[in-house]
Structure formats: C-alpha cells, structure tokens
C-alpha cells in the first residue's frame, strides 16, 4: 500500500459529517459556493500574471529585479499560510475564505500604480497575504466537503481554479491592447468583489462538517488490501499522530516540486513566448490560457483517474508527463511547438497538487492543509524569482528546464515513498 493510498484507510472508516440539514441539495449548494471561490482565485491570479510583461516594462526592472519583486508574493503567502491554519480552526474555514477573497480582490489593483521594483515587491506582499490565506482556507473547506461526500472530488475544485485562470488569461489577452494595466486590474477588483458578495451568503449559510468522533475499527473481508475500495483483510484505523507529520511533509515536498512549474508558467510563460519566440501580447497571454485549459481538462478527469488508477499512479504518471511538456516548451524552436508543450505540461501537472493537498487535509485537517500548502505554494511562489535569477545568469529557456527537473523529482519521490508509513507485514510463527 502506497503513501498516497494509505489515507483511504482512515477515510473509509469516517462517518459522513452533516452539513447544514445534511440533504443532497445542501451539499450541492455548498460545493457550488466553494467552487466559485476556487474559480475566482484563478481568475484574479491569471489576470495579474498576463500583465507581468507590461508591469516589468513600467518599472524598468531587469529579470532578477522582477524576480525579487515577485518574492513579495512568496513572502506574504508563506508567512500567512501558517497563521491561517490556526485562524481556520478558531473562526472556521468559510469566514476566513470570504475575508481573504476580499483582500485578494482589493490588492490586485495595486501593482500598476508602482514605478520601481521595490514598490512593486511591497504591494505584492499584500497580494501574497491574501493569496496564501484564501488558498489554505478554501482548500480546508474543500477537504471537509470531500470527506463528507466520501469521494475523491478534490480535483474538481482545482479544475475550477484552472477554469478561472483560463478565463482570466483570456480576458487579459483580449484587453491587453485596449486597456492599460491600471484599468484592467481595477476591473478585476470590481469583478472580484461582486463575485465574493454573490457567493458569500451560500458559503456562510452552510456550516462546515464538524470533526467526526472516533469510530470503531471496521473489520473488512479477509484476503484483500484495506486501501482498495473493495475492502481488505485488516482492521482499518487512522494513522498515529506521530506518523502524520512525516507523511504530510513528504506530500508537501511532492506538491512543491510540481507547483514550481505552475508558478513558472504563470509568471514566465507569457514572457518566454514574447521574448524568445516573438509572440504578440495577445498570443503570449493565450499561451497561459492554453496551459490553464489543459489543466482544467486534466482535473475534470481527476476523480475518475484517482478512483481507477489510485493516487500513486496518477501522481507519478502526471509528474513525468509534466516534465516532458516543459522540456518541449523550453527547447521549442517554434511558437506552435512551445504551445503544444504548454498543453502537455498542463495535462501532466493537473492532479498532482490537489491529490497531495487533499490527502494532507484528510490526515491532519486545516493544519495539514496549511503545512503541505506552505511547502506546495512555496514552490508555486518561490519558483518564479529563482527562474528570474537563472534567466539573468543563463537564459530564460535554460532556466525553464529546472521545471522539468523538479517535476521528474516529484515523480521519483512519490514512487520511492509509495510504501512509507506502511505497517510491516505480520510474520508467521516458526513451527516448533
């Protein structure tokens, strides 16, 4: 039984928690509200990243200076994530999600009003606080709902993030030649606040699942693996608390290696097409939109993949497909081949992050989400500044090759630790 599969043992014995009145309609409305916040997060973030080339020109920043400014998002998000896990336990996942959505929507309007790399970094720090907070809060809310539903639907929420990213990038491409960054990002603020106001009543009306009481061990049929849906031959019970920390950290490292590439695509993908392959501003924006579309398609099929192939095969296979896609994009001599690589990478990376973060949350609740997210989003947010420095030292295509290396490393770690934490097989007694 693999590390990624072992959590199904504890999930299978958890009673389904009641949300509001416990009816299917109540579950459906809560799922829709959480999905809206995932889509809003992707929409706002993509709207920012497609304007990075224009902001870079406005601030006259070099690649390394821009990388340092982008570190503001990283610093704000990573520091906030550790605190938001505690806030979610104290105030609840749903109110914290709403508060962070408001902050993200307001902060997105600030970058166009900066004129130096240092001032850009300062306002991105504020944006990073909201961005890190909403990702921990809404992922924690999604994990609660996934456990209540009893199905691995976590990828569907991240598909909404990708859909939002595709729409945000598409809108950015359409308005790039007609609206200044100031007007474009101010428009995103208005849209963000309106969507938050519309989705908040449904989210706050439905309380999150409470922590289920300890359940009695369930005796399963003999002769089968307890991690499989059909049952198993041992008593199923939750892992010991001491082992959860190590498992969550490993899951976070896998998420870090894969999300490094998502951050690279967000902050440097459009610039790579524009600078290295002479793409127009609209085409460069469409490149990220294509990547987000491929991720959305991959995540819409994520529940089926997880149920049929299991988390280990899904994560390992996706990691190596992602590595191949970025290799194609970085070395592509033509624009169309680079776009093919973007699509391949999007399909590969699609389910790695939701699979790992979802399992961390199932094992350790909001603090598990916060711990794994801090590592995972560390890759998403620290990757872009690292690539900025490498682009100055070598070239942007060479720097992007690091994405392939870390994606492959994610696959190796997931495969090498597939049996981590597994209890040793019982030894038969020697005949006297």
């Amino acid at each position: 039984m693999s590390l990624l599969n072992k959590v199904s043992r504890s999930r299978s014995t958890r009673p389904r928690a009641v949300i509001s009145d416990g009816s299917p309609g109540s579950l459906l409305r809560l799922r829709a509200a959480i999905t809206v916040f995932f889509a809003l997060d992707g929409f706002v973030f993509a709207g920012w990243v497609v304007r990075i080339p224009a902001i870079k020109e406005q601030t006259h920043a070099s690649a390394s200076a821009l990388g340092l400014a982008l570190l503001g998002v990283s610093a704000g998000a990573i520091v906030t994530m550790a605190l938001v896990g505690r806030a979610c336990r104290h105030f609840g996942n749903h109110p914290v999600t709403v508060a962070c959505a408001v902050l993200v929507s307001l902060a997105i309007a600030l970058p166009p009003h900066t004129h130096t790399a240092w001032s850009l970094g300062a306002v991105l720090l504020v944006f990073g606080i909201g961005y890190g907070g909403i990702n921990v809060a809404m992922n924690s809310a999604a994990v609660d709902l996934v456990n209540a539903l009893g199905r691995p639907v976590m990828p569907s929420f991240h598909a909404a993030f990708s859909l939002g990213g595709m729409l945000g990038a598409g809108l950015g491409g359409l308005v790039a030649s007609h609206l200044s960054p100031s007007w474009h990002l101010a428009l995103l603020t208005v849209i963000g606040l309106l969507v938050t106001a519309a989705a908040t009543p449904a989210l706050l009306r439905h309380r999150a699942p409470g922590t289920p009481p300890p359940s009695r061990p369930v005796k399963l049929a003999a002769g089968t693996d307890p991690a499989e849906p059909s049952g198993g031959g041992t008593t199923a019970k939750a892992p010991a608390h001491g082992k959860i920390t190590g498992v969550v950290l490993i899951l976070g490292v896998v998420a870090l290696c894969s999300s490094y590439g998502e951050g690279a695509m967000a902050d440097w993908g459009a610039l790579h097409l524009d600078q290295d392959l002479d793409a127009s501003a609209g085409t460069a924006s469409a490149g990220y939109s294509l990547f987000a579309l491929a991720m959305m398609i991959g995540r819409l099929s994520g529940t089926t993949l997880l149920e049929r192939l299991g988390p280990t095969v899904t994560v390992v296979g996706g990691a190596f497909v992602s590595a191949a896609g970025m290799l194609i994009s970085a070395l592509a001599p033509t624009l169309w081949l680079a776009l093919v690589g973007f699509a391949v990478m999007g399909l590969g990376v699609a389910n790695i992050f939701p699979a790992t973060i979802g399992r961390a949350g199932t094992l350790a609740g909001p603090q598990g989400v916060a711990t794994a997210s801090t590592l995972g989003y560390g890759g998403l947010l620290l990757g872009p500044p690292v690539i900025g420095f490498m682009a100055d030292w070598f070239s942007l295509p060479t720097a992007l090759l690091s994405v392939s290396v870390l994606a492959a490393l994610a696959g190796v770690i997931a495969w090498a630790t597939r049996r981590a934490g597994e209890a040793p097989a019982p030894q038969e007694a020697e005949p006297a």
Side-chain angles (χ1 to χ4, degrees):
M1 181 177 61
S2 74
L3 162 66
L4 291 168
N5 284 326
K6 72 176 243 183
V7 68
S8 62
R9 185 190 299 184
S10 62
R11 177 182 291 172
S12 65
T13 63
R14 285 188 174 187
R16 295 190 180 186
V18 177
I19 306 174
S20 189
D21 60 3
S23 66
S26 176
L27 291 169
L28 183 61
R29 287 189 292 274
L30 179 57
R31 183 175 180 180
I34 296 173
T35 300
V36 168
F37 281 99
F38 271 87
L40 175 63
D41 189 38
F43 179 80
V44 171
F45 187 72
W48 147 245
V49 300
V50 299
R51 299 316 294 252
I52 286 178
I55 300 296
K56 179 179 184 292
E57 183 178 349
Q58 171 185 304
T59 57
H60 307 289
S62 64
S64 57
L66 179 62
L68 282 174
L70 295 172
L71 197 60
V73 181
S74 310
I78 290 174
V79 170
T80 303
M81 284 176 176
L83 301 175
V84 169
R86 299 188 185 96
C88 287
R89 290 200 308 273
H90 185 72
F91 299 106
N93 300 327
H94 297 177
V96 175
T97 297
V98 173
C100 292
V102 172
L103 179 57
V104 165
S105 298
L106 293 173
I108 193 62
L110 300 177
H113 301 287
T114 61
H115 300 284
T116 66
W118 294 109
S119 59
L120 176 62
V123 300
L124 289 180
L125 180 69
V126 178
F127 179 74
I129 290 171
Y131 184 74
I134 191 174
N135 276 280
V136 170
M138 69 184 182
N139 272 290
S140 298
V143 167
D144 288 341
L145 183 58
V146 167
N147 290 332
L149 292 171
R151 293 190 66 219
V153 298
M154 192 70 173
S156 68
F157 294 110
H158 289 259
F161 177 89
S162 299
L163 174 61
M166 182 184 67
L167 295 175
L171 176 63
L174 290 174
V175 305
S177 58
H178 304 289
L179 291 180
S180 68
S182 296
W183 281 104
H184 175 203
L185 298 186
L187 176 63
L188 295 188
T189 293
V190 174
I191 294 174
L193 293 175
L194 289 175
V195 171
T196 299
T200 292
L203 186 67
L204 297 184
R205 190 180 302 124
H206 298 83
R207 63 183 178 86
T211 303
S215 56
R216 293 183 177 180
V218 178
K219 196 73 175 180
L220 303 173
T224 53
D225 187 342
E228 298 302 322
S230 58
T234 61
T235 298
K237 58 183 179 180
H241 177 74
K243 294 182 179 180
I244 290 177
T245 300
V247 172
V248 168
L249 289 175
I250 292 173
L251 292 170
V253 170
V254 173
L256 183 153
C257 291
S258 66
S259 63
Y260 177 93
E262 290 189 54
M265 287 297 301
D267 286 356
W268 295 103
L271 199 61
H272 171 52
L273 298 180
D274 173 64
Q275 175 180 294
D276 301 314
L277 297 170
D278 298 321
S280 65
T283 303
S285 298
Y288 181 76
S289 185
L290 177 63
F291 170 74
L293 173 62
M295 272 210 306
M296 183 188 70
I297 293 172
R299 286 170 171 174
L300 287 174
S301 62
T303 298
T304 300
L305 291 174
L306 289 169
E307 288 179 332
R308 294 187 178 180
L309 302 180
T312 298
V313 174
T314 301
V315 169
V316 173
F320 286 105
V321 170
S322 173
M326 192 68 252
L327 189 66
I328 293 170
S329 296
L331 301 180
T334 61
L335 177 61
W336 71 266
L337 188 58
L339 293 174
V340 169
F342 279 22
V344 172
M345 182 183 172
L347 289 172
V349 80
N351 294 303
I352 301 175
F353 195 90
T356 52
I357 297 300
R359 271 143 190 80
T362 298
L363 287 168
Q367 199 58 41
V369 173
T371 301
S373 293
T374 299
L375 288 168
Y377 282 103
L380 182 69
L381 301 170
L382 287 173
V386 170
I387 289 176
F389 285 113
M390 293 177 66
D392 265 359
W393 295 335
F394 307 106
S395 68
L396 183 53
T398 301
L400 290 175
L401 290 176
S402 64
V403 173
S404 288
V405 173
L406 285 185
L409 181 60
V412 170
I413 293 173
W415 179 257
T417 60
R418 66 193 183 278
R419 297 186 182 278
E422 182 179 356
Q427 300 293 323
E428 292 186 3
E430 293 287 340

